[in-house]
Structures are given as structure tokens and as C-alpha cells.
Amino acid sequence: MTCWYEGPLAAFDTETTGVDVENDRIVSAAIVVQDTPGGRARATRWLVDPGVPIPEEATGIHGLTEDHLHRNGRWPAPVMEELGRELADLTAAGRPLVVMNAPFDLTLLDRELRRHRASSLSHYLGSRPLCVLDPRVLDKHLDRYRKGRRTLTDLCAQYEVELADAHDAAADALASLEVVRAVGRRFAARLERLSAAELHALQAVWHAAQARGLQAWFTRNGTPEAVDPAWPLRPELPAAA
């Protein structure tokens, strides 16, 4: 029987106006599908004119300017519709979805669907549960005592995965997918008996524990930042009274 890390995978990534999932916007997105390790990766890309200013800090990361997005990007509503349907189709087909730091990208997509489609990611998925593989959560649990940062660039270096064009959504999605395959192979003795669905459930537990540990570290160091333990999607904030 083929292990999940040797079988068909898909990956999802976004570039955004910032890091606030409740208020920032998607400016580009990509879904990459690969059937076998080393096989041809099929990428679908979206470019979005979000209708809001693009901060210079964000442009400095992904290189997408406001003028470029005005000229070449599409209106958000149809893009979010297509993204929601594509992820639903992949989920219905039983294909695990690789998402680096899943609570960011998936929550941001959910908020964009609510903003532009008066809907939600769960509405598009219906009764079909997500099956997410998050390289950040996996690596942090399986190699928890390794020091250093765990950005996608760091993980690519650690697992000897090429990242040709960092902060391009398609390049990042493909690199995340390859990192997950590399994690699976490196820790095969601990992972090969688990299905992707079982691993999804375990990652929710692992991420919550990781969040508690980070929150405790912040508290000890007097940092007011709150760490959300929800994975792979943060719950919707209650409406203001």
C-alpha cells in the first residue's frame, strides 16, 4: 500500500496584503497538484486586485505592486469562488492538501469568502472534511528540539528542497508539497502507518500543544501577543455587540 507521502498530493498558498487574517486580503494564490513524487506538478495561479491599498512592506515581500494588480489582477469575488470550488473538488477526490502554516492561509481564504461571497470555506466543503498536511506543524512535532526558525525557506534548507522563487504562491506551494514528502520519508518509521486523515487529526492536537508552549514563552518574556491554538482553520470571531 502506498504511503500518503508517496501518493497524490495538492498544495495551496497565498500572497497577501499583510498578516492579519481578519482584515488583510489575498493578492495572489496558487494550487499545485502532483500525483507522484518527482512527477509533473500542475499549477493553477490566480492574481487578485483586492480593491485596497497594498502596503509597501507587503510589496517588498512578494513584489506585487498596486499598479500591477490593478492592471493584471481580477476582481476578488470570482477568484474566491474558484478557490473555494477547487479546494472542495480536491477534498471530494480524497487528495490531501498541503498548506504551510494552514491557519493563516485557510482562515484568510475563509474570511475572503465571507467578505466577497457571503459564504464560508466550510460551506464550499459541505460534508467533506479537510485533510491538511502542514509542514510547519509536522516538522515542529517530529524534530521538536532542533533550534532555529521554521519558515518555509528554513524547512527547504533543512530537507534539501529547492525553493526557486520564494514568495511566489505557486513556487511556495510546490516547495511546501516537496517538504511534506521529505518529512514523510525522513520520519517514515513514525509516520508510514498513519493515514493522511489520521495525521490531520493528530496535527490539530500537536498544533494546540505548540501554541500553548509558545504562549507560555511569550508570557514569560512579557510579550502581549496571543497565540491561537485552532488548526487548520481559526473560528470566526463573534460579531461586535
Side-chain angles (χ1 to χ4, degrees):
M1 182 176 176
T2 302
C3 296
W4 56 264
Y5 52 84
E6 302 291 357
L9 294 176
F12 171 62
D13 189 74
T14 66
E15 296 300 327
T16 68
T17 59
V19 297
D20 181 350
V21 295
E22 302 298 336
N23 297 296
D24 278 308
R25 310 298 175 88
I26 293 172
V27 296
S28 71
I31 293 175
V32 173
V33 176
Q34 187 185 54
D35 295 328
T36 58
R40 184 173 69 90
R42 306 182 297 279
T44 306
R45 299 171 172 84
W46 290 263
L47 196 64
V48 185
D49 179 0
V52 299
I54 311 299
E56 291 184 5
E57 295 85 353
T59 296
I61 292 172
H62 50 58
L64 298 171
T65 65
E66 200 166 320
D67 180 67
H68 179 76
L69 293 171
H70 283 331
R71 291 174 181 272
N72 301 285
R74 297 169 58 200
W75 190 242
V79 172
M80 302 313 149
E81 172 76 12
E82 290 169 17
L83 287 170
R85 290 186 179 276
E86 285 285 338
L87 293 189
D89 288 346
L90 290 167
T91 299
R95 190 177 291 252
L97 182 68
V98 176
V99 190
M100 174 73 182
N101 192 16
F104 178 79
D105 291 83
L106 293 179
T107 303
L108 192 59
L109 174 59
D110 177 78
R111 302 316 190 248
E112 288 278 54
L113 287 167
R114 294 174 188 274
R115 184 177 294 121
H116 296 291
R117 304 302 302 178
S119 188
S120 66
L121 183 55
S122 63
H123 172 80
Y124 281 82
L125 297 173
S127 61
R128 301 175 294 269
L130 275 169
C131 182
V132 175
L133 300 169
D134 187 333
R136 187 169 181 268
V137 175
L138 291 170
D139 174 72
K140 195 169 184 179
H141 177 79
L142 294 164
D143 197 0
R144 68 182 68 184
Y145 299 113
R146 190 181 78 247
K147 296 186 181 299
R149 291 158 52 86
R150 297 178 194 252
T151 67
L152 180 58
T153 300
D154 298 318
L155 295 186
C156 286
Q158 177 69 23
Y159 292 94
E160 300 181 348
V161 169
E162 181 181 0
L163 179 54
D165 191 9
H167 300 296
D168 170 83
D172 285 359
L174 178 58
S176 297
L177 187 153
E178 296 291 0
V179 166
V180 161
R181 292 198 190 279
V183 169
R185 288 189 289 268
R186 182 171 297 186
F187 296 98
R190 297 166 65 181
L191 296 177
E192 63 184 356
R193 295 185 180 181
L194 295 169
S195 69
E198 290 170 329
L199 195 53
H200 174 99
L202 286 169
Q203 285 170 102
V205 176
W206 296 344
H207 178 270
Q210 292 164 9
R212 289 193 298 271
L214 183 57
Q215 189 70 76
W217 188 88
F218 281 158
T219 300
R220 289 195 302 272
N221 288 274
T223 303
E225 184 175 349
V227 183
D228 196 321
W231 183 96
L233 181 68
R234 296 178 188 173
E236 184 185 12
L237 291 176

